[in-house]
Amino acid sequence: MGMELPKDHAESHEMEDVNISDLELVYHVREALTSVQSGDNDNYNQLVAVMHLSGRLDPDNRALLETSLKALSGAVSYIDISHHESLLVSIFGMSMWNYDPDIMDALKGLIISLAASSGKYVDSCLTMLVGNFTPPSYFLDKLKEPHGLERKHQVLSRVHAALKSIFDLVPLAPMRLLPIVVQRMPTVHNKHERLKLIVVYTENMLKLESSAMGELVRSTLLMAVVDRLIDLDMEIGWDDILHDDFSKGIFEMELEDVEEAADDAEQVGDELPSGSISRKSLSGNLIAELLDSLLVLTFEHLESCEGTGRLIEVFEILLQSFQITVLNAYKSKFAQFVMFYACALDPENCGLRFATMLADVFVSGLYPPLTRMSSVSYLASYLSRARFLSPCFIVSLLKRLVDWCLEYCNIPGGNINPKAHRVFYSGCQAIMYVLCFRMRSIMDVPRLKSQLLLMPLETVLKHNLNPLKVCLPSVVSEFLQQSKAARLFTVSETFIFNDLLESELSRDFGGLERLDMFFPFDPCLLKKSDSFIRPNFIYWSMVKTAYHGDEEDNSDEDVDEDNGDHVMVDGMGRSPDEQDLDLDEFEYSLNKMSITPKNSFSCRLDGELRQPMKMPSRIRPSTSPESL
Amino acid sequence: MIIGSERNKKWAWFNEIFEGVLLAYDVNILDKNGKILCGIHPYFGVKLKAKLLLFSPKPNMLVEGKVVRLTQASIHVIVLGFSSAIITDQDIREEFNYTTKYGEEVFASRSHKWHVIKVGTMIRFLVKSFDEEILHISGSLIPARTGSIRWLDKKSKNVCLADSSTTKRREVEGKSEMQDNETVGAAVSSVSNDHQIKKSKKRRWIYKQAIHLVNDTRNLQQLCYSLVWTDVITTQFPVISLT
């Protein structure tokens, strides 16, 4: 094969000089490679030595490395996997992060040529590129600097361009790429040095998901990301969240966040007030920080998916992953907010789909009881906290739950038995919990009010199975208070809970996993993630309950603020100003929806209740020893 | 017999039993009674007969594909949208020169002005070797019957017209091709004489049937996607029947 250029093209004449020298280089490299087989290794060894040039290179060495890489690209068919092992090892060991853009381009070209030349090199080339997802350890801290960010952009744009080119030339490359990407993902079992790379690595995975080969790799990659979120979530113990300072309740912290948000809607991710309990203790936790960053990365990715119209197909995969992984990981604290945020981005499709799936799992007898209980806990917490869900939709789902519970009640021979009927009790508790948050908004719409009144709630809750006695007392008492005020129904029996958060019976139905106290969409404790969630989230203090008139709404916050100060004093949270009012009602309002789980913890350890519990607004799974 | 599907996590492209990539199948169930197979409940055996369309390039076969990249050192081709192929400069005959035309890199024939290979050209090339694991072909443009399909077909058509005999001559050429052991497309069963390669309307009809089979088969949705977008319509494959 020769090279002849048409004489009447001026530009081809200009090319001629340049191309001849490039061609000579290629021939020289080809000779160096072929001569190895005859025992002449000098030129070959020189070539290998050039590949090892790194660090701050002078212009001559830079040019030498660049031209050598380019020449090798034209000679890949002469590379033999056994005779030129050292050359291949040095090529695959190169990190683009160490070089200037020109050398990056040359290396990229070589890798593409190598991958397309033979099936033997595809895996190694892909592994080399995946290795370049993350910088060398010395570079990690520089990522926060402008120079580091620029280098990161230079490298990653080339790495992904190379992967795209390989995909264009070798259509089966994604099949080979997937296991490499998943296996090389940093895990919680790695040392911290390696684990810190997980954010950059995941960024690359999500980039792949959006790329041309996305359709082929999406499912596996997204599931791997969710798995990693759960792994990190599991590493954060509840002890990391709980704090020694009992003086402030979670409800108060929640209130302060709301006030901050209300004061300035644009302030997102502000410094938290010094009184914040859980975030402070989490702030020094590396795992928590990584999880926070990963969640933010995922949220931003979901936003871009939404922008390009891909959110629904991505969501379907997340939903699948949720069912397999998150739903059964009962200690999941934050990972589920991925679903929450996806739903917030597209309430009409994703938002409804998520709730419907959870309800489907609950009512289906195909799933084990624990999965069903977990599912309805997610549903209850989601329906209560998702600001973007319409009351109309919530009522339709409540009806589904009530109908299922009614059907259950119609099975003859049912008597109170927390363990045997735990799925039923979890369903009842879910209904009551949702109504604690939503009753007022439902009753305010006449059509929905009549639907709610038509629901056989009374039949279900007053059945022999006695859910009012078994379910979490704090939820039941709040619900009864609101039901009475809304004239939904009244109970003749007085349920005296003494401000108990939980009871023996609720613990029984919750089981070892304490699914009676599982409200997974309680406010997110991760600072950066929460700034995404907050605009779509309902805090308890934002809720208009059925027993509060409009003129009393402003006093709620004052009441709640006082609540905190009085927690430790007499445990009843009463302020002297409220003595003129109905003490029964205010006792409930003051104690509404806030707990200090550490109290529960210490109380359980001591074997008796010391302080009265409050209505859970932020309930975590019980920290009783048997559940840890 | 499942074609690659990321969702199923079964990228079993190359079927070792049939020694090829299954493109399409047409099944006739011979007996509606299924036999219970002891020991592997709940599976049961069903007797059936199937026609399979397989992609199984062997050395010295001719294969057709689309050029996706062209450099001085190599031509990269995609066959049927899923198989990659490379033809290095050592395997490109002297007739072709690497050059640039209108800013585009091409391999242009010295002898025939209109015989040009560039990105997007459908070419016919010889199989040197086939990597079953990654479905990668090493190819050659040395034989005279390789090159741009459009130019080769036009050339053969002109030869036929010039000769003034019609179908009989084509059949003769078809048979002589067989004698040269160059076969177009997938492996040909030596059992049945009905499936000899013919450059005729019959082959095109068979291929259209194959595409029809592919489009009908739900399991091959992924492959259908590949087939559709790679402009493979002009490629011709005989149908193999197995009994």
Side-chain angles (χ1 to χ4, degrees):
Chain A
M1 186 200 70
M3 191 192 74
E4 289 181 3
L5 303 170
K7 289 176 185 172
D8 50 324
H9 286 262
E11 64 172 358
S12 59
H13 283 298
E14 291 173 10
M15 268 180 60
E16 189 173 344
D17 291 335
V18 174
N19 278 346
I20 283 173
S21 58
D22 283 349
L23 208 54
E24 281 178 350
L25 276 168
V26 169
Y27 287 145
H28 174 73
V29 167
R30 288 180 180 184
E31 265 185 53
L33 292 170
T34 47
S35 61
V36 169
Q37 295 189 34
S38 53
D40 181 7
N41 290 354
D42 289 342
N43 290 331
Y44 170 73
N45 289 336
Q46 282 179 16
L47 194 56
V48 176
V50 170
M51 294 300 118
H52 282 104
L53 290 171
S54 63
R56 282 180 178 265
L57 299 174
D58 57 45
D60 286 342
N61 279 333
R62 271 208 299 270
L64 178 62
L65 180 56
E66 187 184 336
T67 48
S68 300
L69 288 168
K70 283 182 177 171
L72 267 170
S73 298
V76 288
S77 56
Y78 288 75
I79 297 178
D80 180 81
I81 200 165
S82 45
H83 291 114
H84 305 124
E85 190 184 337
S86 54
L87 177 66
L88 288 168
V89 165
S90 59
I91 292 170
F92 294 137
M94 293 173 80
S95 172
M96 285 192 190
W97 294 83
N98 296 329
Y99 301 107
D100 290 336
D102 291 338
I103 298 175
M104 286 186 205
D105 284 331
L107 181 55
K108 171 189 134 194
L110 173 58
I111 294 293
I112 294 169
S113 298
L114 210 46
S117 69
S118 168
K120 288 178 283 192
Y121 303 124
V122 171
D123 283 353
S124 305
C125 291
L126 294 176
T127 305
M128 182 267 182
L129 289 170
V130 172
N132 276 268
F133 277 1
T134 51
S137 50
Y138 73 86
F139 203 90
L140 195 59
D141 293 329
K142 294 183 190 176
L143 278 180
K144 296 167 194 170
E145 298 162 22
H147 163 72
L149 280 173
E150 195 193 337
R151 177 58 59 92
K152 176 184 160 190
H153 173 73
Q154 286 168 350
V155 171
L156 296 188
S157 61
R158 283 164 174 83
V159 164
H160 286 273
L163 287 169
K164 163 98 180 26
S165 296
I166 293 175
F167 173 49
D168 288 341
L169 299 173
V170 185
L172 259 63
M175 175 189 82
R176 312 295 291 206
L177 181 64
L178 270 177
I180 295 170
V181 170
V182 173
Q183 282 161 21
R184 291 184 68 99
M185 201 177 178
T187 73
V188 292
H189 305 295
N190 295 139
K191 291 181 183 172
H192 278 183
E193 281 305 313
R194 172 118 180 97
L195 186 59
K196 281 180 196 174
L197 299 170
I198 194 168
V199 181
V200 180
Y201 196 93
T202 307
E203 195 181 325
N204 282 282
M205 289 174 74
L206 295 175
K207 240 183 190 140
L208 276 177
E209 189 275 325
S210 322
S211 71
M213 67 176 92
E215 194 179 336
L216 301 171
V217 300
R218 178 166 301 137
S219 180
T220 305
L221 290 183
L222 286 175
M223 288 201 177
V225 170
V226 173
D227 284 348
R228 204 54 85 243
L229 288 173
I230 283 287
D231 288 345
L232 288 171
D233 196 305
M234 295 296 168
E235 290 294 308
I236 300 172
W238 286 101
D239 289 343
D240 295 333
I241 298 172
L242 301 175
H243 196 267
D244 292 331
D245 184 0
F246 298 120
S247 63
K248 302 206 176 184
I250 300 148
F251 174 61
E252 189 180 49
M253 187 190 86
E254 190 178 315
L255 176 64
E256 285 170 5
D257 287 344
V258 171
E259 280 184 315
E260 267 186 41
D263 287 340
D264 186 353
E266 289 184 3
Q267 279 183 343
V268 180
D270 283 343
E271 285 302 317
L272 291 162
S274 56
S276 308
I277 302 178
S278 310
R279 287 182 186 170
K280 205 173 168 186
S281 55
L282 273 178
S283 64
N285 188 321
L286 170 70
I287 304 282
E289 281 174 28
L290 289 176
L291 180 57
D292 200 8
S293 301
L294 270 186
L295 279 171
V296 167
L297 196 65
T298 314
F299 293 161
E300 287 168 346
H301 183 73
L302 289 174
E303 281 172 1
S304 78
C305 290
E306 204 256 335
T308 51
R310 294 189 306 113
L311 182 63
I312 292 178
E313 55 186 318
V314 166
F315 181 78
E316 285 300 321
I317 296 165
L318 290 177
L319 200 63
Q320 235 183 10
S321 181
F322 177 87
Q323 274 190 276
I324 297 167
T325 313
V326 183
L327 188 59
N328 296 311
Y330 62 89
K331 281 184 181 171
S332 175
K333 299 158 222 48
F334 312 115
Q336 60 269 22
F337 279 101
V338 171
M339 303 305 296
F340 191 97
Y341 194 65
C343 293
L345 289 173
D346 186 4
E348 285 175 14
N349 294 305
C350 304
L352 270 52
R353 180 98 176 82
F354 183 52
T356 309
M357 182 277 289
L358 292 170
D360 289 344
V361 172
F362 172 68
V363 304
S364 167
L366 295 174
Y367 293 93
L370 282 180
T371 306
R372 296 168 73 186
M373 290 171 72
S374 176
S375 187
V376 83
S377 300
Y378 272 101
L379 181 62
S381 192
Y382 173 64
L383 293 179
S384 307
R385 298 293 191 170
R387 206 193 266 195
F388 46 86
L389 291 178
S390 67
C392 176
F393 176 70
I394 291 168
V395 167
S396 69
L397 276 177
L398 278 175
K399 185 173 186 315
R400 262 189 95 180
L401 294 180
V402 172
D403 286 347
W404 183 89
C405 289
L406 182 70
E407 216 176 297
Y408 194 92
C409 288
N410 289 338
I411 300 169
N415 279 308
I416 182 167
N417 188 330
K419 280 178 187 161
H421 305 294
R422 52 194 170 148
V423 178
F424 169 78
Y425 292 124
S426 63
C428 293
Q429 183 168 296
I431 295 165
M432 288 190 276
Y433 186 81
V434 173
L435 284 172
C436 288
F437 278 81
R438 300 288 194 168
M439 195 179 300
R440 178 70 181 267
S441 58
I442 291 172
M443 299 301 254
D444 282 349
V445 179
R447 178 175 59 87
L448 299 179
K449 177 180 176 179
S450 58
Q451 282 182 32
L452 184 61
L453 290 170
L454 281 172
M455 286 187 205
L457 266 175
E458 207 161 328
T459 315
V460 168
L461 295 177
K462 290 182 179 177
H463 189 265
N464 285 344
L465 290 167
N466 218 331
L468 293 175
K469 218 172 188 175
V470 176
C471 292
L472 213 58
S474 41
V475 174
V476 173
S477 60
E478 175 65 25
F479 168 75
L480 289 176
Q481 185 70 13
Q482 290 204 40
S483 308
K484 186 179 169 184
R487 297 190 181 86
L488 189 60
F489 72 87
T490 52
V491 287
S492 50
E493 185 185 346
T494 309
F495 288 88
I496 299 172
F497 297 116
N498 291 327
D499 293 329
L500 288 178
L501 167 64
E502 54 187 315
S503 68
E504 196 72 41
L505 292 170
S506 76
R507 279 198 290 277
D508 276 345
F509 103 75
L512 281 175
E513 298 79 10
R514 293 313 308 272
L515 289 174
D516 58 316
M517 288 183 64
F518 184 43
F519 298 90
F521 290 113
D522 277 351
C524 183
L525 298 176
L526 298 174
K527 177 180 159 186
K528 289 185 283 186
S529 309
D530 186 55
S531 63
F532 284 78
I533 300 294
R534 195 186 302 168
N536 306 295
F537 196 82
I538 296 178
Y539 292 85
W540 174 246
S541 51
M542 294 157 65
V543 172
K544 287 183 189 174
T545 58
Y547 47 77
H548 274 130
D550 290 341
E551 66 278 7
E552 289 178 281
D553 283 350
N554 290 331
S555 67
D556 284 354
E557 291 180 0
D558 297 331
V559 165
D560 297 333
E561 277 178 338
D562 290 336
N563 192 23
D565 294 336
H566 291 270
V567 163
M568 298 302 291
V569 173
D570 58 5
M572 299 298 284
R574 292 182 192 180
S575 150
D577 293 335
E578 289 131 21
Q579 287 173 2
D580 294 334
L581 302 171
D582 185 333
L583 292 176
D584 285 335
E585 281 192 354
F586 263 90
E587 186 175 322
Y588 282 117
S589 68
L590 288 171
N591 296 335
K592 61 187 176 183
M593 300 307 224
S594 76
I595 60 166
T596 49
K598 195 68 174 179
N599 289 336
S600 143
F601 182 81
S602 63
C603 289
R604 193 155 298 106
L605 286 180
D606 292 343
E608 58 180 273
L609 292 166
R610 277 195 181 168
Q611 298 192 13
M613 300 300 166
K614 299 173 184 176
M615 181 66 192
S617 67
R618 307 186 66 211
I619 298 176
R620 293 102 170 217
S622 167
T623 54
S624 57
E626 62 269 18
S627 71
L628 284 172
Chain B
M1 291 202 304
I2 296 185
I3 299 301
S5 163
E6 206 268 318
R7 191 175 286 266
N8 293 342
K9 294 195 183 355
K10 285 187 179 179
W11 291 78
W13 288 85
F14 189 86
N15 188 297
E16 288 181 6
I17 296 172
F18 300 118
E19 294 183 2
V21 180
L22 180 65
L23 299 181
Y25 58 87
D26 184 21
V27 177
N28 282 324
I29 298 175
L30 299 174
D31 186 355
K32 289 191 178 173
N33 293 319
K35 287 186 180 177
I36 296 170
L37 302 171
C38 297
I40 45 174
H41 170 83
Y43 296 102
F44 54 88
V46 176
K47 199 172 180 183
L48 54 83
K49 189 172 176 179
K51 282 185 185 173
L52 305 179
L53 181 62
L54 294 170
F55 176 71
S56 180
K58 296 278 191 290
N60 295 322
M61 282 186 178
L62 289 176
V63 178
E64 297 171 359
K66 189 180 193 178
V67 176
V68 291
R69 189 188 186 216
L70 193 144
T71 68
Q72 194 164 357
S74 58
I75 298 174
H76 297 264
V77 183
I78 300 288
V79 178
L80 283 181
F82 62 79
S83 179
S84 51
I86 184 172
I87 304 162
T88 63
D89 55 353
Q90 303 153 277
D91 293 312
I92 300 174
R93 59 184 181 269
E94 288 288 330
E95 176 190 340
F96 287 104
N97 297 323
Y98 171 80
T99 183
T100 51
K101 274 191 177 178
Y102 308 107
E104 203 177 354
E105 291 172 287
V106 303
F107 276 95
S109 168
R110 287 188 211 177
S111 329
H112 308 282
K113 186 182 173 186
W114 301 110
H115 194 176
V116 171
I117 297 172
K118 57 184 181 179
V119 172
T121 307
M122 292 294 295
I123 64 167
R124 186 177 296 144
F125 60 96
L126 192 80
V127 175
K128 281 176 61 184
S129 64
F130 179 56
D131 184 332
E132 292 168 3
E133 213 175 304
I134 194 85
L135 302 183
H136 184 85
I137 302 170
S138 173
S140 166
L141 282 172
I142 299 288
R145 298 184 184 281
T146 59
S148 161
I149 293 174
R150 183 185 280 186
W151 186 87
L152 290 168
D153 284 354
K154 213 182 259 183
K155 175 190 167 192
S156 71
K157 194 178 173 184
N158 288 341
V159 166
C160 288
L161 284 173
D163 200 33
S164 79
S165 53
T166 55
T167 311
K168 193 176 178 183
R169 175 59 67 95
R170 279 197 221 145
E171 284 179 354
V172 167
E173 282 183 356
K175 282 179 187 171
S176 65
E177 270 192 19
M178 283 290 294
Q179 287 163 5
D180 290 340
N181 290 322
E182 286 178 358
T183 57
V184 177
V188 174
S189 167
S190 57
V191 174
S192 171
N193 289 328
D194 293 337
H195 298 288
Q196 288 180 13
I197 301 151
K198 295 174 185 177
K199 284 184 183 176
S200 65
K201 290 182 183 175
K202 189 181 177 186
R203 194 205 297 177
R204 193 172 290 277
W205 178 86
I206 289 170
Y207 179 72
K208 281 183 180 172
Q209 293 302 305
I211 291 294
H212 180 67
L213 283 174
V214 169
N215 289 335
D216 276 354
T217 309
R218 285 182 193 177
N219 285 340
L220 296 171
Q221 276 175 5
Q222 186 90 1
L223 183 57
C224 281
Y225 171 80
S226 300
L227 281 170
V228 168
W229 68 253
T230 55
D231 187 29
V232 165
I233 304 301
T234 57
T235 311
Q236 299 169 14
F237 294 88
V239 176
I240 303 166
S241 70
L242 297 181
T243 56

